[in-house]
Amino acid sequence: MRLIQGNRMTAIVLVVAAFLLLLPFVYESRNLLILLTQVFVFSIFAMSYDLLLGFTGIVSFGHAMFFGIGAYSMGIFMKRFEPTLGYFFLAVLTTVVLTGIVSFLVGLLTLRLKSHFYAMLTLSLSGLFLVLAEKWRTMTYGNDGFTFRVPELFIDRTNFYLLCLIVMVAVFLILKRFTNSPLGRVLQAIRENEQRTESLGFHVLHYKIAASVMSGVLAGVAGILYAISLRFVNTSVFAMDITLDALLMTIIGGVGTLVGAIIGAGLIEFAHHWLTELAKEHWIFERWIIFFGIIYILVVMFFPRGIVGTLRTLSWNRKKQPAVKKEEKIAG
């Protein structure tokens, strides 16, 4: 049943992606293009976080460190060298290597800890990267940040929109395959009962580190795209707010669903944009963060398993009821 639902959800995502692929050519709106690009970028980041939280049961408060590494890697390469596709790919390779190494070391040092102890230590490590970015002004320009040029191909917002869309779909398909693989099944077993999984002979730490590395690399890719979209980077990319955004997107959309991370990212980005625009119309919306919080509360109240998780539960219960009634009828 889950396999059928998973295939159906993948088909829906691909159909929506095909529609979004054609959108820039049939509807010209620069603001919508920029907004959807941000949704794609944060969808990648939220899916990378969902791999940890939803499929492995790991709560991290330091996920922004990988996002920031990607953003600064791209910014520094484009600032100090020519903004060509060659240096763009070199920056991507550097990000993959750095995030892979950092996530491996962080996982090796911290994943032996349980529950909130791990979360607090990842928060501390993320704080170290934030301090490093603030103090290493010769490289990062501190809190002021810096602007940079991008490859000519990405100056056109439509080209960059298409790149982000393709990367988002590719990440979704990769993670779908990864989570349905034997390794992914072990990760889900760890999430459900770590001690029992370990008693079956699996070296739990190794699997957790594999999830941490995959998640860290994909978060770095999201950071790269985020930096290019703004053509500016500063220390805010290491802030805890970035991690909390990924956490909330995952929870609101549905933990352990992947597609829920995309829906959560879309909901939050559109709500943020809508409330910010309303602030220009009426003074009461200048405190838009309050309304933003109300939206979070309402979603959590009415969709306790997240949007996708709740809809799946309702669908399952609807299909289960006729079977139960049939059994009762036979028994009667």
Side-chain angles (χ1 to χ4, degrees), residues 81-247:
F81 304 104
E82 289 296 318
T84 62
L85 285 177
Y87 283 114
F88 167 78
F89 287 115
L90 189 58
V92 172
L93 180 61
T94 302
T95 297
V96 170
V97 172
L98 285 178
T99 52
I101 292 172
V102 172
S103 56
F104 175 80
L105 293 176
V106 169
L108 196 63
L109 293 172
T110 62
L111 283 172
R112 289 184 175 87
L113 301 174
K114 308 294 182 184
S115 133
H116 60 281
F117 298 107
Y118 169 79
M120 290 298 103
L121 190 52
T122 55
L123 176 61
S124 302
L125 291 171
S126 182
L128 289 177
F129 277 88
L130 176 60
V131 172
L132 179 64
E134 289 175 347
K135 300 301 181 183
W136 197 2
R137 296 187 64 87
T138 55
M139 184 68 72
T140 65
Y141 297 87
N143 289 327
D144 298 329
F146 60 90
T147 58
F148 55 89
R149 293 178 296 165
V150 297
E152 188 175 349
L153 180 65
F154 304 141
I155 293 175
D156 185 346
R157 286 288 178 180
T158 302
N159 290 338
F160 185 63
Y161 166 92
L162 294 174
L163 172 68
C164 292
L165 174 60
I166 291 169
V167 173
M168 182 195 72
V169 173
V171 168
F172 172 78
L173 294 176
I174 289 169
L175 287 180
K176 198 72 178 174
R177 181 71 186 89
F178 182 82
T179 53
N180 287 327
S181 68
L183 191 153
R185 297 299 183 189
V186 175
L187 293 178
Q188 292 172 60
I190 292 170
R191 176 195 65 195
E192 296 300 326
N193 194 320
E194 184 175 334
Q195 291 180 340
R196 181 173 294 177
T197 305
E198 194 166 12
S199 69
L200 291 173
F202 295 101
H203 202 305
V204 169
L205 180 62
H206 292 172
Y207 288 92
K208 283 185 173 182
I209 291 176
S212 175
V213 171
M214 173 68 83
S215 177
V217 170
L218 294 178
V221 170
I224 287 173
L225 297 175
Y226 179 75
I228 294 177
S229 69
L230 298 180
R231 301 173 193 176
F232 170 80
V233 63
N234 68 355
T235 55
S236 64
V237 293
F238 284 116
M240 188 180 176
D241 291 349
I242 299 291
T243 301
L244 291 179
D245 281 345
L247 176 62

Side-chain angles (χ1 to χ4, degrees), residues 15-48:
V15 169
V16 173
F19 168 76
L20 292 172
L21 194 66
L22 297 174
L23 183 63
F25 305 105
V26 297
Y27 181 74
E28 294 183 5
S29 173
R30 187 173 183 273
N31 290 336
L32 180 61
L33 214 62
I34 293 172
L35 179 58
L36 286 174
T37 300
Q38 289 294 100
V39 171
F40 300 154
V41 171
F42 279 99
S43 293
I44 296 167
F45 186 52
M47 283 190 287
S48 73

